[in-house]
Amino acid sequence: MKQLLSVLIIAMLFMLSCKKADQVTPVTSNNNLATSAATTQIATAQIAKTNLSITFNAASMVNVKDYGAKGDNYTDDTKAIRSALAYAKANGKTAVYFPDGSYIVADAGNTSGVIELKNGVGLLGSSPATCHIKLSQGRYNPPSIFYQAWWNEPTVSNLVIQGIDFDGTSFGQTFSADYQYCHALSINNGQNIEVSNCKFESFRGDGLLFGDTFLSSVNLRMTSNVSVHDSEFLNIYREGTMFCCTDNGSFYNNNVHGTGYLVGGVDIERHSVNETVTNISVYNNIFNFSDGYGPVERGGPIVKYRRAVTMGFFYNGHTGGTADSRSGGHKIYNNTVYQGQIDCWGHTNVSITGNTFTNSYENIAGVNMVSAPAINVADPANTSGLVNIVVSNNTINSAMGNGIAFNHYQNITANSNIINGSPLDGISIYNSTGLFDSNNIQNAGLSTQKASGIVINGNTNGTLVVSHNTVTDTRSGSNRTVNFGVAIQSQNNGSVAPRIEYNNSKNLVGGVVSLYYYQQAFASLLANTGS
């Protein structure tokens, strides 16, 4: 009897231990992880701007199909994905691998999302053309697919997301008019994150969101060393990627296009004084907004023209109206933009260089979340201390508004830009100072409203030098629309007179330099020429 009792106790203990492990134990599968991993040919991924490397091989990954996922574009694979992620974290694996297929996420989730990301565990597929993770259709105001539950997982770091198409299926969902959520992935706190060779499509919120907003203390949740590259963003309602409360991020070699982008293709956004968003680089991307339209919620006519990259400080702005050092240091360069602009406000120490713009005319009267200049560095809050902006070597062919506009920024360097065909003045300077040098401006203005190459308005309380610029009208006779090379159009109550030197104008209607008629003496002119 005692022997039988001992056998029963051992059997019960065995059954209990099996039950505890059920949640993370692989199920029988015909998919061999070693074969799957070898097929992907994924070796080592270097996380941008760190010395960290993560190795992917059969021993370091788990196959989601070994946890019951089907990938058949029908079965709800939510539970299997969760189980694979849990097992990977518990056993020190670096990634969950998704063999080719379409994985449906049909669980309702919560307001934050459906599947919780795990610290140190990436998501890998072989190609976004063959590996798809889709949110099920028929939802109202759906949540994000993957998210960080920071109250359970305080940090999500050291992970790579690669080779997957993430699809929010927004065409099959319904939304309230003001709903701007449902992201592919949202990571609020962590470091060393790389996203590459992925596709993000049809999300009501963002493709990717990094950092957090409206924090109760400074940088309470923050991401750093984030890299997004060689990916496609298609039909994303709010932003392709948002960097908020993030230091040291990069976005490069991506293709952003389609319908949507209420705020912008890339949004570098500070929401409150307790956030830091610094040192974000956006380069070598294509922003092609000619193949889609902005959301109807922007108001006004439905147009294609949108923000490619926007750097802003929303809501209450800087404390006491004086800029601090925790929003800026960004580099926006070598991007190609169709039907779009780059804008900046509330950020300092920003360079916008080597970008190319091609914009045809659209009527944007009444349209919110966008402005006419191809490059707009303008602060609507009259913040003091907004300094150190470099705008150089950009090529702008835009029929929308000014080529470049500056408003309430100091210590600007704007040089060697080529601006062609702007219907308004090529470069507009308002309440700003700096060096505006060696720009080439051609054929500004319209037949119904002439424009000038460079115009100055407002007050100058620091050094303002406009020098060595060339302004040309290539048309003849009454077809010419360029009025002056440089024009001061309003009274200047500043303490320092502008210097206008060594500028050259060719074939203009009005002449080389025009001074404000009530302040003919408040400017220093030197060696400006015209023909």
Side-chain angles (χ1 to χ4, degrees):
M1 186 69 177
K2 289 182 179 179
Q3 187 175 11
L4 178 60
L5 183 61
S6 298
V7 171
L8 288 172
I9 291 171
I10 292 170
M12 288 176 66
L13 289 172
F14 177 77
M15 290 174 67
L16 286 171
S17 66
C18 288
K19 184 176 182 181
K20 185 177 180 180
D22 278 347
Q23 294 178 344
V24 292
T25 300
V27 298
T28 303
S29 170
N30 293 325
N31 295 277
N32 182 274
L33 177 59
T35 302
S36 298
T39 303
T40 66
Q41 297 295 307
I42 301 173
T44 300
Q46 294 290 335
I47 303 300
K49 299 183 186 266
T50 76
N51 295 320
L52 178 68
S53 65
I54 299 176
T55 301
F56 301 112
N57 53 42
S60 68
M61 297 191 294
V62 297
N63 187 327
V64 72
K65 286 196 172 182
D66 289 336
Y67 296 82
K70 300 298 183 184
D72 58 7
N73 201 35
Y74 175 78
T75 303
D76 180 8
D77 288 324
T78 308
K79 183 178 179 181
I81 297 170
R82 286 173 176 157
S83 295
L85 283 164
Y87 181 88
K89 183 185 179 185
N91 290 275
K93 306 297 183 181
T94 57
V96 172
Y97 175 66
F98 292 78
D100 289 351
S102 294
Y103 301 86
I104 300 299
V105 175
D107 190 277
N110 56 51
T111 55
S112 297
V114 181
I115 300 173
E116 295 183 19
L117 293 165
K118 301 299 182 183
N119 185 40
V121 182
L123 309 171
L124 299 183
S126 60
S127 168
T130 55
C131 180
H132 313 275
I133 299 177
K134 299 180 179 180
L135 195 63
S136 63
Q137 299 180 37
R139 299 168 180 255
Y140 178 72
N141 288 350
S144 301
I145 298 181
F146 292 95
Y147 72 105
Q148 177 183 358
W150 50 261
W151 49 96
N152 294 327
E153 197 84 354
T155 182
V156 171
S157 297
N158 304 318
L159 73 161
V160 171
I161 298 164
Q162 185 179 88
I164 299 173
D165 166 34
F166 297 88
D167 189 347
T169 62
S170 59
F171 56 86
Q173 320 287 7
T174 55
F175 311 94
S176 57
D178 60 348
Y179 191 72
Q180 298 179 24
Y181 304 96
C182 184
H183 320 307
L185 297 113
S186 174
I187 301 177
N188 308 117
N189 192 65
Q191 60 184 342
N192 306 330
I193 302 159
E194 182 179 21
V195 180
S196 68
N197 188 31
C198 288
K199 182 176 181 179
F200 302 90
E201 58 178 312
S202 301
F203 285 92
R204 181 69 174 190
D206 308 330
L208 296 165
L209 186 152
F210 299 106
D212 211 341
T213 61
F214 301 109
L215 301 173
S216 59
S217 61
V218 174
N219 300 336
L220 179 63
R221 288 180 294 278
M222 184 177 187
T223 56
S224 62
N225 297 333
V226 177
S227 172
V228 179
H229 62 91
D230 297 286
S231 295
E232 180 183 4
F233 296 81
L234 173 65
N235 300 336
I236 310 294
Y237 177 82
R238 191 170 73 173
E239 298 118 353
T241 295
M242 177 191 280
F243 295 98
C244 55
C245 207
T246 298
D247 177 56
N248 196 7
S250 60
F251 185 94
Y252 61 94
N253 295 345
N254 300 292
N255 180 14
V256 182
H257 65 115
T259 290
Y261 309 102
L262 174 75
V263 179
V266 175
D267 184 12
I268 304 168
E269 181 177 337
R270 187 174 173 187
H271 296 74
S272 71
V273 295
N274 283 335
E275 300 160 32
T276 295
V277 55
T278 48
N279 304 314
I280 310 298
S281 296
V282 180
Y283 58 97
N284 295 347
N285 303 286
I286 296 174
F287 297 91
N288 185 2
F289 295 144
S290 64
D291 68 348
Y293 290 88
V296 65
E297 286 83 2
R298 294 196 301 175
I302 299 175
V303 296
K304 299 175 182 290
Y305 189 69
R306 284 158 281 175
R307 294 162 165 161
V309 182
T310 179
M311 296 160 275
F313 193 162
F314 282 83
Y315 309 105
N316 295 327
H318 292 278
T319 302
T322 301
D324 57 33
S325 61
R326 291 193 292 106
S327 48
H330 315 308
K331 297 178 180 179
I332 317 299
Y333 60 97
N334 295 349
N335 299 286
T336 300
V337 180
Y338 299 97
Q339 287 306 107
Q341 68 166 169
I342 294 172
D343 74 349
C344 173
W345 78 98
H347 291 240
T348 63
N349 303 301
V350 173
S351 65
I352 303 170
T353 60
N355 303 285
T356 300
F357 300 81
T358 304
N359 297 328
S360 58
Y361 173 74
E362 292 183 283
N363 177 16
I364 62 170
V367 179
N368 298 310
M369 311 297 280
V370 75
S371 56
I375 298 176
N376 192 27
V377 181
D379 184 66
N382 299 335
T383 306
S384 64
L386 294 175
V387 297
N388 302 335
I389 303 294
V390 175
V391 178
S392 67
N393 293 293
N394 298 285
T395 300
I396 299 171
N397 294 286
S398 179
M400 287 299 302
N402 302 113
I404 307 171
F406 299 96
N407 183 346
H408 286 98
Y409 267 83
Q410 313 306 318
N411 196 26
I412 296 163
T413 299
N415 68 290
S416 303
N417 298 288
I418 298 172
I419 302 171
N420 182 54
S422 60
L424 301 180
D425 308 300
I427 298 176
S428 173
I429 305 167
Y430 181 76
N431 283 343
S432 298
T433 62
L435 175 63
F436 301 81
D437 179 78
S438 301
N439 299 287
N440 191 323
I441 302 166
Q442 182 173 284
N443 296 339
L446 300 169
S447 60
T448 55
Q449 182 179 348
K450 292 180 174 59
S452 294
I454 299 174
V455 297
I456 301 169
N457 286 285
N459 304 323
T460 53
N461 290 307
T463 301
L464 172 58
V465 179
V466 179
S467 67
H468 298 94
N469 300 285
T470 300
V471 181
T472 307
D473 197 321
T474 63
R475 285 78 54 95
S476 61
S478 60
N479 292 320
R480 294 176 297 166
T481 61
V482 185
N483 209 356
F484 296 97
V486 181
I488 300 177
Q489 294 183 330
S490 65
Q491 184 166 322
N492 187 336
N493 296 317
S495 57
V496 182
R499 291 163 47 194
I500 302 172
E501 306 170 347
Y502 303 104
N503 298 286
N504 181 250
S505 299
K506 301 177 181 178
N507 193 37
L508 307 189
V509 175
V512 181
V513 177
S514 172
L515 302 178
Y516 184 59
Y517 55 94
Y518 284 137
Q519 275 187 320
Q520 292 288 314
F522 197 67
S524 173
L525 306 182
L526 177 64
N528 299 287
T529 61
S531 61

